[in-house]
Amino acid sequence: MLEETKREYVEEESDVLNHLLSNIECNKSTIMNSGAGSGKTYALIQCLKHVVSKYGNSFKKNNQHVICITYTNVAANEIKERLGNTDIIYVSTIHERLWDIIRPYKKELAKIHLENLNNKINEIEAYLDTNSKFTAYQNLTDEGKQAFVELMLNEANKTTFYDLYDLKAKEFKCSIKESIDINYDMLNNVNNFKSLVNKIYKREKYKKCIKETEDKGIDKFEVTYDARYNTDRLEYFTISHDTLLNYSKVMIEQYDKLKDIIIDTYPYIFVDEYQDTNKKVIEILSSVEERSKNSGRNHSFFVGYFGDSVQNIYNDGVGSEIFELHPSCEIVNKRFNRRSCEEVIKVANAIRKDEIEQVSIYKDCAGGSVEFYYGSNDRINEFISKCKDEFVKQEDDKLHCFMLTNESVANYSGIENIYNTFKNTDYYKKNYEQLTTELLSNDSGKLGAIPSLIYRLIEFWVLIGNDKTPIYSFLDKSMCKELNIEELKEILNGIRNITASNLYELINELCSIYSNNEMSNHQVYSSLIKKLFNIDEISIYSIKHYFCESLFINESEEDDEQVIESINEILNISLDEYTKWYNYINRNDSGKVIYHTYHGTKGLEFENVLIIMGNSFGRKKNYFNVFFSNYSSDLNELNQQTYISARNLLYVSITRAIKNLRILYTDPIDDFEDNLKLIFNDIKKFE
């Protein structure tokens, strides 16, 4: 199916590509805007190949390269595979590429880092001086504050504080009072006291870092970035993804020389899925292009964006704002669809209702099936079963089911305990919108700090459970070279002797190995384990504290016992369930029905799609019904934001379907039934 193309459409599609190539030739930066399944990646690949074919020899001679920026590592690998072998094009995520650009300028980078440290110190001090949690501290005189800080910075007292940290509130209060002469008012609320002291310790680390830099000289310090860890450790000159973006923007916009270097080194920059790109990146590229035009150096520079503004479904994605942020770009639209049957395309066009009205490029594009049903929540399982019976008939057949909530996906995928424990933490209660990305993302690089740590541990667990896993999967190749065969075998056997049934037992085993100085090749084991955890101290206590500090930032004293219980719940979840979660992240699902979050389907396509839908989306009440209710109406500013967000997510979800699409709406549709018919033509009650 969907094989023979229409000649006139192929010619028109070719004209679009030629237009893109022409813009490349005359260095006219361009935004290619096209709908789902339009072949954006193909067009991008052809543009990249054209540049290499025409300018490759010149690039090699002048040590120049082409940059291709992708949103995920998965996308980067796909483009690399389709491009084939080339050392001219650098394909990577934006973070990897920006780091390569700014990393050589160590002194300038260190200066920006020191400015950030000073800003963080000021933020902490303002927080301590104004937050109502710290009234007892604020009531002290300046001398009293200084005396308290010095008291808690005493190494013996510091050790005592951490040793007692996990005690319940009443026990902590009594124990620390016996050990340290602390003003009793400071202990009225134990968790506020802990938060206060932790802030003081953090500030002291930053101050110490600055002092060491001043004493030893800025040249002795180097900022580092590691894509595996999504956490800042500023006191160690280590930065995370977001901080890297901030530093890059400051450096590139501040130094014209750096802009010139980018122009000279990377005369062609392409951005895949521009709508998901952070606003800061677009601002960087716009400033570089402006420099190329106004510097008087007459050096060519081209930026090409490929994507679809209506497929912007992430909060930090630039979406349609790109047209304002990079106004010098020419917009090139493409209307063809190479993915879906005409029945799916028709619905997708009705949803987006803009200048891009797609048509299938194929002659025989009919044969698909789109059906919209309405029913109730208690019929979901029955509806899934009906669709499974309809579409899953052969061994390779799959039904891909998109669920309304993360909780539903977790429950149906067998990872409900993981989801529920994280959902109920202080951090994710306050940052619920990040839960999908930071816990259930199919790109491990986007996981949050604690999920990322657990992911590394489970990946390690999965690898050691496979007899065919080579030793260099655990150890750096350089370290392997320093050991003989017998030593490597001993280390491998030692690793594979680890036994555990839950996360706590796995961590405890690793901590025991780490602390066992009498083991042969202990340094190798400790280096491996240190790399896995990436925290200062490797012990059950320190890891629990790291979990607590990351997930329960502002807990109240009344919740003290609940915090300890929640951390223990995370640690006591079975490794079997964590392995299911690991497989979910890596799309290793083996069942006949595969469950997805709406966001998790971005960039994918499936023969058979089932979408469970209702008024609300997660914690967003009146979400999809705002879109359907206002489908033919003018909107106020507030509803317009929800309308666009719901439209984009609905469009992305619908357009994952190649042939068969089923929707079950589980809330009343009386208020927008007529609008539903405008989109889906026919609607049915599930009975």
Side-chain angles (χ1 to χ4, degrees):
M1 194 186 72
L2 302 183
E3 293 181 355
E4 191 176 357
T5 56
K6 291 186 178 181
R7 182 176 178 180
E8 64 271 27
Y9 286 176
V10 172
E11 290 175 354
E12 185 179 337
E13 187 181 56
S14 180
D15 289 341
V16 173
L17 179 59
N18 289 331
H19 190 164
L20 293 172
L21 299 180
S22 175
N23 283 2
I24 291 173
E25 291 298 310
C26 58
N27 295 304
K28 184 168 184 57
S29 292
T30 302
I31 299 172
M32 180 186 170
N33 195 44
S34 57
S38 62
K40 290 186 291 292
T41 303
Y42 173 81
L44 171 61
I45 297 294
Q46 294 306 113
C47 289
L48 290 167
K49 288 182 176 180
H50 173 81
V51 172
V52 172
S53 173
K54 189 156 185 178
Y55 305 109
N57 291 333
S58 174
F59 288 165
K60 289 180 180 179
K61 182 179 178 182
N62 296 304
N63 196 27
Q64 294 176 307
H65 294 86
V66 178
I67 288 178
C68 179
I69 295 166
T70 64
Y71 185 67
T72 65
N73 288 310
V74 174
N77 292 333
E78 180 188 349
I79 291 173
K80 287 176 183 177
E81 186 176 333
R82 292 171 67 172
L83 274 174
N85 293 327
T86 175
D87 55 358
I88 293 175
I89 303 174
Y90 291 157
V91 184
S92 68
T93 62
I94 184 59
H95 295 90
E96 182 182 345
R97 190 53 46 216
L98 284 174
W99 179 239
D100 277 350
I101 290 172
I102 69 172
R103 178 172 53 184
Y105 307 99
K106 297 178 182 179
K107 189 174 182 178
E108 290 80 3
L109 193 53
K111 285 181 179 178
I112 291 173
H113 188 73
L114 288 177
E115 289 175 8
N116 189 29
L117 282 171
N118 278 306
N119 289 336
K120 293 295 183 184
I121 291 170
N122 292 334
E123 288 174 9
I124 291 172
E125 290 177 345
Y127 186 71
L128 295 180
D129 289 341
T130 59
N131 195 287
S132 58
K133 295 195 309 181
F134 309 129
T135 303
Y137 173 77
Q138 293 159 6
N139 289 336
L140 297 174
T141 64
D142 290 344
E143 291 79 8
K145 289 178 182 176
Q146 183 61 33
F148 173 72
V149 170
E150 290 176 0
L151 180 71
M152 296 312 301
L153 289 177
N154 176 276
E155 284 301 320
N157 293 341
K158 199 172 184 179
T159 300
T160 299
F161 174 78
Y162 283 129
D163 286 344
L164 302 175
Y165 199 92
D166 271 346
L167 295 177
K168 295 180 180 179
K170 290 182 180 179
E171 296 176 45
F172 179 90
K173 190 181 294 186
C174 293
S175 299
I176 202 163
K177 185 64 180 174
E178 291 175 2
S179 304
I180 307 173
D181 186 21
I182 300 172
N183 181 323
Y184 196 81
D185 288 345
M186 304 285 284
L187 292 167
N188 285 341
N189 185 301
V190 168
N191 281 313
N192 287 350
F193 175 80
K194 289 178 180 178
S195 178
L196 169 68
V197 176
N198 283 327
K199 291 290 183 185
I200 289 170
Y201 287 164
K202 179 67 72 175
R203 180 182 64 183
E204 185 61 23
K205 286 180 180 178
Y206 293 164
K207 286 184 174 181
K208 185 179 178 181
C209 179
I210 293 173
K211 181 69 166 55
E212 287 179 355
T213 308
E214 291 172 348
D215 292 344
K216 297 179 181 180
I218 198 169
D219 294 339
K220 302 293 184 182
F221 294 83
E222 183 177 342
V223 176
T224 59
Y225 164 75
D226 193 326
R228 295 171 298 177
Y229 310 111
N230 196 16
T231 49
D232 282 327
R233 300 176 73 197
L234 301 179
E235 63 272 28
Y236 298 106
F237 271 63
T238 302
I239 60 175
S240 65
H241 306 330
D242 291 344
T243 304
L244 172 60
L245 285 182
N246 293 334
Y247 285 13
S248 299
K249 187 172 185 297
V250 170
M251 283 188 66
I252 293 171
E253 291 187 347
Q254 184 175 333
Y255 298 107
D256 285 341
K257 184 178 179 180
L258 185 52
K259 293 190 193 75
D260 292 338
I261 290 171
I262 294 171
I263 294 165
D264 292 341
T265 310
Y266 310 108
Y268 295 90
I269 297 178
F270 295 84
V271 180
D272 186 32
E273 302 291 354
Y274 73 74
Q275 73 279 352
D276 299 325
T277 305
N278 190 284
K279 177 181 175 180
K280 293 185 179 72
V281 177
I282 309 301
E283 291 173 333
I284 289 171
L285 294 177
S286 182
S287 71
V288 174
E289 190 195 33
E290 186 176 355
R291 172 68 180 177
S292 73
K293 293 178 178 178
N294 301 323
S295 66
R297 299 170 69 245
N298 197 32
H299 284 202
S300 61
F301 185 73
F302 172 87
V303 182
Y305 299 102
F306 293 73
D308 180 7
S309 60
V310 177
Q311 294 190 63
N312 171 36
I313 59 174
Y314 300 113
N315 292 333
D316 62 345
V318 68
S320 59
E321 198 176 352
I322 190 174
F323 305 122
E324 298 174 5
L325 294 174
H326 207 149
S328 61
C329 291
E330 180 185 350
I331 301 169
V332 176
N333 294 322
K334 184 182 179 185
R335 69 188 184 105
F336 300 110
N337 186 299
R338 286 179 168 270
R339 172 185 297 158
S340 303
C341 294
E342 65 178 0
E343 293 83 357
V344 176
I345 295 172
K346 183 180 178 181
V347 172
N349 286 337
I351 290 169
R352 73 180 295 150
K353 279 199 315 179
D354 66 1
E355 69 279 1
I356 295 179
E357 183 172 351
Q358 286 192 307
V359 295
S360 176
I361 200 165
Y362 302 103
K363 288 182 179 180
D364 186 15
C365 56
S369 172
V370 178
E371 294 181 7
F372 184 101
Y373 292 84
Y374 60 96
S376 57
N377 278 308
D378 58 5
R379 304 291 300 279
I380 290 176
N381 285 334
E382 188 180 347
F383 192 78
I384 293 173
S385 181
K386 171 188 176 297
C387 294
K388 181 183 177 183
D389 291 341
E390 184 178 1
F391 300 125
V392 183
K393 296 180 179 180
Q394 300 181 31
E395 186 177 347
D396 294 336
D397 289 343
K398 303 280 186 182
L399 175 65
H400 292 266
C401 182
F402 306 173
M403 308 297 288
L404 270 169
T405 65
N406 299 320
E407 185 173 10
S408 297
V409 172
N411 289 341
Y412 279 93
S413 301
I415 54 175
E416 60 272 22
N417 293 316
I418 296 172
Y419 175 80
N420 289 329
T421 52
F422 276 90
K423 179 190 69 173
N424 292 322
T425 62
D426 180 67
Y427 175 79
Y428 286 112
K429 283 179 180 177
K430 292 179 171 63
N431 300 279
Y432 180 77
E433 297 297 323
Q434 294 174 228
L435 188 59
T436 301
T437 301
E438 295 191 5
L439 183 66
L440 299 176
S441 174
N442 293 123
D443 183 352
S444 61
K446 299 187 182 301
L447 296 174
I450 300 303
S452 181
L453 168 58
I454 296 174
Y455 179 89
R456 295 194 300 272
L457 292 173
I458 301 305
E459 183 174 55
F460 172 78
W461 175 251
V462 170
L463 288 173
I464 67 174
N466 185 346
D467 292 338
K468 296 181 180 179
T469 302
I471 185 67
Y472 55 78
S473 297
F474 311 111
L475 305 178
D476 292 334
K477 290 185 178 181
S478 59
M479 189 173 291
C480 291
K481 290 179 181 178
E482 297 176 2
L483 302 169
N484 60 46
I485 297 295
E486 291 304 315
E487 288 175 319
L488 288 172
K489 285 183 179 179
E490 182 184 347
I491 292 168
L492 189 58
N493 290 332
I495 290 171
R496 286 181 172 153
N497 283 334
I498 294 174
T499 58
S501 62
N502 58 37
L503 185 62
Y504 176 87
E505 291 176 2
L506 176 60
I507 292 173
N508 194 44
E509 283 276 310
L510 292 170
C511 290
S512 298
I513 294 172
Y514 183 83
S515 60
N516 187 358
N517 293 315
E518 296 180 1
M519 289 181 66
S520 62
N521 290 305
H522 177 257
Q523 187 175 357
V524 176
Y525 286 109
S526 62
S527 176
L528 165 64
I529 295 167
K530 185 80 172 178
K531 189 175 181 180
L532 274 175
F533 286 102
N534 192 42
I535 59 176
D536 292 337
E537 183 183 345
I538 310 298
S539 68
I540 283 291
Y541 154 71
S542 63
I543 292 161
K544 280 188 172 183
H545 175 63
Y546 180 52
F547 274 54
C548 184
E549 188 180 48
S550 302
L551 298 174
F552 294 91
I553 304 169
N554 296 310
E555 74 273 16
S556 64
E557 184 172 334
E558 290 75 18
D559 294 333
D560 187 59
E561 293 185 19
Q562 183 59 46
V563 169
I564 296 171
E565 185 179 338
S566 295
I567 297 299
N568 287 334
E569 284 178 359
I570 292 173
L571 295 173
N572 288 324
I573 293 172
S574 72
L575 290 176
D576 287 342
E577 183 167 335
Y578 275 118
T579 301
K580 287 181 181 178
W581 171 74
Y582 174 83
N583 288 329
Y584 175 88
I585 298 298
N586 291 290
R587 297 195 177 113
N588 291 332
D589 302 296
S590 57
K592 292 297 184 182
V593 182
I594 312 298
Y595 299 93
H596 305 266
T597 64
Y598 282 53
H599 289 77
T601 64
K602 184 71 180 296
L604 304 178
E605 58 183 47
F606 312 111
E607 189 85 359
N608 309 305
V609 169
L610 162 60
I611 303 176
I612 307 299
M613 192 172 292
N615 287 344
S616 301
F617 178 70
R619 295 186 179 181
K620 296 178 179 176
K621 306 303 179 184
N622 298 318
Y623 188 72
F624 285 118
N625 59 321
V626 168
F627 172 78
F628 291 124
S629 297
N630 296 280
Y631 180 70
S632 304
S633 312
D634 293 328
L635 296 150
N636 58 44
E637 186 173 347
L638 180 63
N639 277 344
Q640 190 172 23
Q641 293 176 357
T642 301
Y643 180 95
I644 292 172
S645 176
R647 179 206 59 188
N648 290 3
L649 191 56
L650 179 59
Y651 178 80
V652 167
S653 303
I654 293 285
T655 55
R656 299 312 94 193
I658 297 173
K659 184 178 180 181
N660 299 307
L661 173 66
R662 297 291 182 269
I663 298 172
L664 176 66
Y665 205 90
T666 59
D667 285 313
I669 62 168
D670 300 2
D671 293 342
F672 46 82
E673 184 174 348
D674 290 340
N675 286 340
L676 286 173
K677 291 177 180 178
L678 291 175
I679 300 171
F680 297 99
N681 189 34
D682 185 30
I683 59 176
K684 307 172 185 177
K685 186 175 182 179
F686 180 58
E687 299 178 314

